[in-house]
């Protein structure tokens, strides 16, 4: 159910994005940083699902809050002539990598456990047959 | 169950927004990044330019052939008439002076090219480049030194010639000309080579690490002006 919803959302978004009007180049940096922030909160959400701490409210507020906050910070940075968006990218992408590492570790452990169980079963079988 | 439905709807909406943003961004970047990347359209335009250049050269060859024919006709018709022959010689002399005829003779070849120095070590990057101003000054000094005919990258300098900055190129006679600039001048070679004197313009260009090469030659050919000199306002005084 959840995966179907995600898939439908992705397909619809891609279709609409291909046909949507283009934004002007001056605003594309804001959109880019918002996309990065949203991606970061998505990976954070997956991480929290793995750790069984998932909270929908936190996820939604993180998704939109991060995006809007990063846009505002980028705007402020442009007004102050400081590249604040660089800091935002460093933080978001750094967090993305740590989240991805946690996700990877979780699945690798899961699969290696499964493989070990299979091996043990096989060994048990062979021992039984030998008997 | 209710909770799961809400979660899936919310996640669907989020993924929708996320992919929408990503795709719009990709399209925007793709459409505006044309100056950096060499895309298909740019290559097509370049091929078109080459095609037109070829066509122009073909037409120009035809024109040259026609002019040679005209010259022959003229010679045939003026052969046995001393007065007409005199006029013909006057026309030739005039063409030579205003740059409508190819000329050959002794002179110098000055090559100016951009500095090979690493741009990051320069105080002023602009000083490492050959500018329109530099070409103009060298041409001016050549005229002062008694040059009778001058060309820059095969663009003949005529009375109506202009040397203008055009960004990373220089416009001469309305044609784009780029570094290295090969300036040919016909005149007394020893006199023209005096441009290299300490304190002269070439000296200062060399000081600014621009590559300057002055070569004396006994046999320089300077092409004729390929454009049209039109005089609309200047009337001769009777």
């Amino acid at each position: 159910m959840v995966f179907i919803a995600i898939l439908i959302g992705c397909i619809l978004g891609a279709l609409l994005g291909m046909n949507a009007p283009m934004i002007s180049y001056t605003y594309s940096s804001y959109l880019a940083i918002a996309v990065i922030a949203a991606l970061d909160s998505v990976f954070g959400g997956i991480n929290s699902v793995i750790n069984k701490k998932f909270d929908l409210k936190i996820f939604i507020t993180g998704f939109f809050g991060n995006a809007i906050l990063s846009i505002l910070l980028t705007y402020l940075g442009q007004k102050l002539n400081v590249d604040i968006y660089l800091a935002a990218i460093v933080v978001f992408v750094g967090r993305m990598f740590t989240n991805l590492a946690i996700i990877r570790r979780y699945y690798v452990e899961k699969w290696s456990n499964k493989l070990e169980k299979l091996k043990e079963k096989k060994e048990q079988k062979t021992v039984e047959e030998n008997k | 169950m209710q909770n799961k439905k809400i979660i899936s709807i919310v996640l669907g909406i989020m993924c929708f927004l996320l992919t929408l943003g990503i795709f719009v961004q990709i399209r925007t970047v793709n459409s505006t990044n044309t100056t950096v990347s060499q895309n298909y359209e740019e290559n097509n335009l370049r091929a078109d330019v080459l095609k037109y250049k070829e066509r122009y050269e073909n037409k120009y060859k035809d024109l040259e052939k026609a002019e040679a024919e005209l010259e022959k006709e003229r010679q045939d018709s003026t052969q046995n008439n001393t007065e007409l022959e005199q006029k013909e010689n006057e026309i030739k002399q005039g063409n030579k002076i205003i740059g409508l005829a190819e000329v050959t003779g002794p002179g110098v070849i000055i090559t100016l090219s951009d500095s090979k120095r690493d741009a990051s070590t320069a105080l002023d990057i602009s000083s490492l480049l050959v500018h329109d101003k530099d070409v103009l000054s060298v041409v001016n000094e050549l005229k002062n030194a008694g040059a009778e005919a001058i060309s820059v990258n095969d663009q003949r300098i005529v009375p109506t010639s202009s040397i203008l900055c055009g960004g990373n190129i220089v416009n001469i006679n309305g044609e784009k000309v780029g570094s290295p600039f090969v300036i040919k001048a016909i005149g007394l070679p020893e006199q023209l080579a005096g441009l290299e004197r300490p304190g002269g313009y070439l000296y200062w260009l060399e000081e600014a690490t621009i590559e300057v090469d002055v070569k004396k030659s006994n046999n320089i050919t300077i092409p004729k002006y390929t454009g049209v000199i039109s005089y609309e306002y200047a009337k001769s005084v009777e």
Side-chain angles (χ1 to χ4, degrees):
Chain A
M1 179 99 184
V2 175
F3 283 105
I4 290 167
I6 288 173
L7 211 68
I8 289 171
C10 284
I11 290 167
L12 271 180
L15 283 178
L16 204 73
M18 286 208 237
N19 299 314
M22 265 180 281
I23 55 163
S24 72
Y25 196 66
T26 42
Y27 299 116
S28 78
S29 60
Y30 299 120
L31 184 58
I33 197 77
V35 164
I36 296 289
L39 265 177
D40 167 57
S41 38
V42 164
F43 283 118
I46 295 169
N47 186 22
S48 60
V49 167
I50 285 169
N51 289 333
K52 300 198 172 70
K53 288 192 295 194
F54 184 74
D55 190 337
L56 193 61
K57 273 178 220 153
I58 290 174
F59 183 55
I60 294 170
T61 50
F63 187 88
F64 291 105
N66 272 352
I68 292 165
L69 209 72
S70 59
I71 288 174
L72 287 177
L73 275 177
T74 310
Y75 180 73
L76 182 71
Q78 277 189 349
K79 287 281 158 220
L80 294 177
N81 198 16
V82 179
D83 293 338
I84 291 179
Y85 72 92
L86 284 177
I89 284 174
V90 168
V91 170
F92 287 137
V93 177
R95 249 190 358 217
M96 249 193 254
F97 274 114
T98 49
N99 282 336
L100 275 172
I102 290 166
I103 293 163
R104 174 179 50 91
R105 213 169 279 176
Y106 172 79
Y107 280 106
V108 167
E109 271 173 20
K110 209 175 169 185
W111 283 328
S112 56
N113 280 345
K114 264 188 190 173
L115 277 175
E116 269 177 27
K117 269 181 191 170
L118 273 176
K119 264 187 190 172
E120 275 175 19
K121 266 186 188 174
K122 263 188 187 174
E123 277 172 12
Q124 272 180 356
K125 263 187 189 174
T126 46
V127 168
E128 277 170 16
E129 276 170 12
N130 286 344
K131 273 179 184 176
Chain B
M1 197 60 219
Q2 189 70 28
N3 200 18
K4 215 173 181 185
K5 225 179 200 172
I6 290 169
I7 288 175
S8 55
I9 287 169
V10 167
L11 282 180
I13 291 169
M14 279 179 178
C15 285
F16 168 74
L17 288 176
L18 192 58
T19 44
L20 182 74
I22 290 171
F23 269 79
V24 168
Q25 178 69 7
I26 288 169
R27 278 184 61 219
T28 313
V29 171
N30 273 350
S31 68
T32 45
N33 225 10
T34 47
T35 49
V36 177
S37 67
Q38 290 183 354
N39 54 20
Y40 182 69
E41 206 176 333
E42 209 172 316
N43 284 338
N44 269 353
L45 285 176
R46 228 169 248 160
D48 269 1
V49 168
L50 286 180
K51 253 185 235 166
Y52 273 105
K53 212 173 177 187
E54 209 178 79
R55 217 180 283 174
Y56 172 78
E57 269 158 18
N58 281 342
K59 285 266 180 258
Y60 194 72
K61 259 181 206 160
D62 285 351
L63 181 70
E64 270 184 345
K65 227 184 262 174
E67 266 177 3
E69 236 168 81
L70 181 69
E71 184 79 6
K72 213 177 163 194
E73 288 291 323
R74 236 191 232 161
Q75 261 182 3
D76 284 349
S77 57
T78 58
Q79 220 161 25
N80 296 322
N81 194 327
T82 42
E83 204 180 318
L84 282 178
E85 220 165 305
Q86 208 182 337
K87 288 274 176 226
E88 175 74 19
N89 282 339
E90 263 176 40
I91 289 173
K92 270 187 184 164
Q93 191 71 23
N95 276 349
K96 209 165 72 184
I97 291 168
I98 62 171
L100 288 178
E102 203 176 54
V103 286
T104 178
V108 290
I109 301 173
I110 299 171
T111 311
L112 304 177
S113 39
D114 293 343
S115 173
K116 287 201 175 74
R117 203 170 135 188
D118 187 8
S120 60
T121 64
L123 209 59
D124 181 15
I125 297 167
S126 177
S127 71
L128 300 182
L129 304 174
V130 181
H131 293 276
D132 56 322
K133 185 187 75 188
D134 303 331
V135 178
L136 190 58
S137 298
V138 170
V139 167
N140 196 33
E141 285 213 4
L142 281 172
K143 280 181 178 173
N144 188 32
E148 288 168 1
I150 303 168
S151 75
V152 181
N153 283 17
D154 286 347
Q155 287 297 324
R156 179 75 173 264
I157 304 295
V158 293
T160 54
S161 287
S162 62
I163 297 175
L164 290 171
C165 181
N168 51 2
I169 46 102
V170 172
N171 283 311
I172 299 176
N173 289 342
E175 299 251 2
K176 291 172 171 55
V177 164
S179 173
F181 296 95
V182 181
I183 304 171
K184 292 179 188 168
I186 290 177
L188 185 63
E190 285 71 31
Q191 231 168 48
L192 296 181
L195 255 70
E196 267 192 307
R197 72 188 182 279
Y201 200 81
L202 291 181
Y203 172 81
W204 290 114
L205 283 181
E206 267 175 2
E207 285 286 290
T209 71
I210 281 171
E211 316 248 320
V212 178
D213 179 46
V214 180
K215 236 191 287 172
K216 280 185 237 173
S217 174
N218 283 324
N219 188 19
I220 292 176
T221 308
I222 291 184
K224 64 179 179 180
Y225 179 56
T226 54
V228 178
I229 300 175
S230 66
Y231 272 65
E232 275 184 55
Y233 302 103
K235 300 252 167 22
S236 18
V237 179
E238 295 295 323

